[in-house]
Amino acid sequence: MRLLAVYEIILILSIIIHSVSRHSVQAQEEEAHQFGPDVVSIETDHSPLSNLDKTFANVNETHQEKVEAGSENDEKSQGALNHRENLTVHLAVVVCGNRMEEALTMLKSAAIFTFTKLHFHVLAEDHLHAPIQQRLKQMSDVSQQAISYNVLPIQFPKGNEEMWKTLFKPCACQRLFLPDLLEDTDSLIYLDTDILFMRPPEDLWNFFNKFNSSQLAAVSPEGEDPPTGWYNKHARHPYYGELGINSGIMLMNLTRMRKVNWNDIVLKKYQDYRSGIVFGDQDILNVVFHFYPEMLYTFTCDWNYRPDHCRYGRNDCKHAEKNGISLLHGNRQIFHKDDFPPFRMVYDVINGYDFKAGVAKGVYDPLMKYLPAVRNSGYCNNMWKAMIRITKKYLKKYKQQMQHSS
């Protein structure tokens, strides 16, 4: 009887604390919902209930198992934010012409949001090596996480170096030959210079874990709207899927690429369809994956959000509207033009970021202050909330990281 009374008291306390915790969670969710129903705090405080569960487990193991099962999704969500001491995310970028500052800002955005180690592979024209190394050293000195890097020369297949270097954008086709150039690297994420991370790069890296046994690369679709698509209307060569792919962000399993003789495939498909190539490396990749679709994994447009998704007075990327924008792609130099104010504003904030300030004061606060002002000017104005939704979602973890490192 005495044990039963203790059991009843614990049960009553559990109900009371659960009620208080539930109301607290509802209040946090209501605050987060000012930017949409999908913005929920990553780390809701359930510690009082968790402590009671431990006590309650001595009386009723079955109840504890149910509580653990109910919290499984929360643990999975938090898993992407945990420190991954054994993980190093490899990022690659190619820098030619006047793209150095843009490329360094892209790498800086990765350093701002990461919770793990980063390694940068920068392939650049010879005269850019010294200034790039100087800037990367400065970045590694002030970043909260370990950053390593190597700066390498531009290298194309012998005999056709100049043709490959000038096909489409300067040096853009360099990425096609990374498997043979970086023989000691297993996998990496290639990014165009005009990309900005809005969340930890390791979250993008997680797509490697979704590859099946035949997939060796991952990209996003070129478009979401057939009436405004490029490849389905204008391409003079085969392309992947219904609307083609955009190659500005590309996960590459270099080991698998080497095993299938990737370079030989690229050179053969280019020779077969060179007369129809307009967008250089992206067109070549579309041809390759048209014939080898089993090699490709595709992720959604919110991981490669471009002005094409919102320039026609609407948002064609529903995933971005629902989930927020994970990576921002300012193609056609949109980051440096006034036509798309939200894109330029995010770029300017990241470019001027001071690592001492932290994400809350250095990124979220200025964007929250200035982005609402773009609602009535230029293109893509309605997407400003989506641009900071994920940053807001991760903000508590960023604050904890700054406190831990200070």
Side-chain angles (χ1 to χ4, degrees):
M1 293 294 291
R2 182 173 299 173
L3 180 61
L4 181 60
V6 172
Y7 181 96
E8 291 175 345
I9 292 172
I10 293 176
L11 180 61
I12 292 170
L13 288 172
S14 174
I15 294 171
I16 293 172
I17 294 177
H18 176 74
S19 176
V20 172
S21 177
R22 179 171 57 84
H23 288 298
S24 175
V25 172
Q26 287 177 343
Q28 292 180 18
E29 291 181 347
E30 287 172 1
E31 180 183 0
H33 273 59
Q34 63 178 304
F35 296 114
D38 299 290
V39 184
V40 180
S41 175
I42 284 288
E43 294 188 324
T44 305
D45 184 9
H46 294 294
S47 53
L49 188 57
S50 299
N51 291 334
L52 184 60
D53 287 338
K54 292 177 183 177
T55 305
F56 203 62
N58 296 326
V59 182
N60 191 340
E61 270 186 21
T62 303
H63 176 70
Q64 173 67 8
E65 290 173 359
K66 290 180 179 179
V67 171
E68 289 177 352
S71 63
E72 183 178 351
N73 290 334
D74 288 340
E75 292 174 359
K76 288 181 179 179
S77 296
Q78 294 175 16
L81 289 174
N82 292 338
H83 290 285
R84 300 160 190 174
E85 296 181 358
N86 296 323
L87 173 65
T88 299
V89 172
H90 289 251
L91 304 180
V93 64
V94 178
V95 188
C96 287
N98 62 353
R99 294 302 185 101
M100 186 185 79
E101 186 65 31
E102 194 174 66
L104 290 169
T105 302
M106 180 275 290
L107 296 174
K108 185 178 183 180
S109 71
I112 289 171
F113 292 114
T114 192
F115 294 106
T116 191
K117 296 187 288 291
L118 298 176
H119 184 83
F120 299 149
H121 304 269
V122 183
L123 293 95
E125 294 176 303
D126 293 345
H127 69 281
L128 297 175
H129 285 204
I132 289 175
Q133 289 172 336
Q134 181 182 10
R135 292 280 295 278
L136 290 179
K137 184 181 185 305
Q138 293 171 351
M139 191 185 305
S140 66
D141 288 344
V142 296
S143 172
Q144 302 301 322
Q145 301 298 329
I147 295 176
S148 56
Y149 54 88
N150 56 318
V151 181
L152 303 169
I154 300 294
Q155 301 178 59
F156 288 109
K158 292 182 179 179
N160 294 299
E161 293 94 337
E162 195 60 30
M163 181 274 292
W164 285 112
K165 183 174 181 178
T166 57
L167 187 64
F168 192 45
K169 298 177 183 178
C171 306
C173 290
Q174 177 72 92
R175 149 263 294 282
L176 297 174
F177 306 104
L178 291 180
D180 286 354
L181 294 177
L182 302 174
E183 294 180 348
D184 297 328
T185 303
D186 175 69
S187 299
L188 56 77
I189 302 172
Y190 167 86
L191 302 112
D192 284 349
T193 61
D194 52 5
I195 305 290
L196 292 174
F197 283 92
M198 303 302 292
R199 68 187 299 162
E202 52 267 34
D203 292 353
L204 179 62
W205 186 269
N206 281 340
F207 282 114
F208 280 119
N209 298 325
K210 298 186 178 183
F211 282 18
N212 63 28
S213 59
S214 66
Q215 290 166 336
L216 49 74
V219 295
S220 70
E222 167 63 17
E224 305 292 316
D225 180 46
T228 59
W230 164 262
Y231 285 105
N232 58 317
K233 285 189 171 185
H234 307 291
R236 295 183 288 124
H237 56 75
Y239 56 89
Y240 178 87
E242 181 185 1
L243 297 173
I245 58 172
N246 182 278
S247 61
I249 300 167
M250 183 174 178
L251 280 70
M252 304 173 68
N253 186 315
L254 303 184
T255 299
R256 292 185 179 183
M257 288 178 159
R258 287 186 284 266
K259 287 182 178 179
V260 300
N261 297 316
W262 173 260
N263 280 15
D264 293 342
I265 294 174
V266 166
L267 292 170
K268 175 65 166 58
K269 295 307 177 186
Y270 173 70
Q271 291 298 330
D272 290 345
Y273 296 97
R274 60 185 303 173
S275 63
I277 298 298
V278 176
F279 294 123
D281 57 324
Q282 179 168 295
D283 284 358
I284 296 171
L285 290 169
N286 266 283
V287 173
V288 169
F289 292 124
H290 171 85
F291 289 100
Y292 300 97
E294 71 280 2
M295 293 182 178
L296 189 66
Y297 178 93
T298 56
F299 47 81
T300 51
C301 52
D302 48 322
W303 294 88
N304 184 2
Y305 193 85
R306 309 187 311 281
D308 308 307
H309 292 122
C310 53
R311 67 178 302 155
Y312 298 106
R314 64 180 186 276
N315 171 48
D316 292 332
C317 179
K318 302 306 178 185
H319 295 282
E321 197 165 355
K322 177 181 179 181
N323 304 321
I325 294 170
S326 294
L327 284 90
L328 202 59
H329 187 173
N331 59 327
R332 296 192 295 277
Q333 300 195 32
I334 292 302
F335 287 144
H336 314 292
K337 298 178 181 178
D338 295 327
D339 296 345
F340 295 80
F343 283 80
R344 177 161 188 167
M345 192 169 294
V346 174
Y347 177 86
D348 288 344
V349 167
I350 297 294
N351 180 259
Y353 176 81
D354 183 351
F355 281 90
K356 296 178 182 178
V359 174
K361 293 182 179 180
V363 177
Y364 179 76
D365 286 352
L367 289 180
M368 190 60 204
K369 180 179 180 181
Y370 296 114
L371 275 177
V374 306
R375 277 181 279 194
N376 299 314
S377 60
Y379 295 102
C380 301
N381 304 326
N382 293 333
M383 293 306 296
W384 70 270
K385 294 179 182 178
M387 292 182 180
I388 57 174
R389 177 170 289 159
I390 291 178
T391 303
K392 178 179 174 64
K393 190 176 181 180
Y394 282 61
L395 199 54
K396 184 174 181 179
K397 187 64 180 180
Y398 292 135
K399 290 180 179 178
Q400 290 176 347
Q401 176 72 2
M402 289 299 296
Q403 292 171 356
H404 176 76
S405 60
S406 60

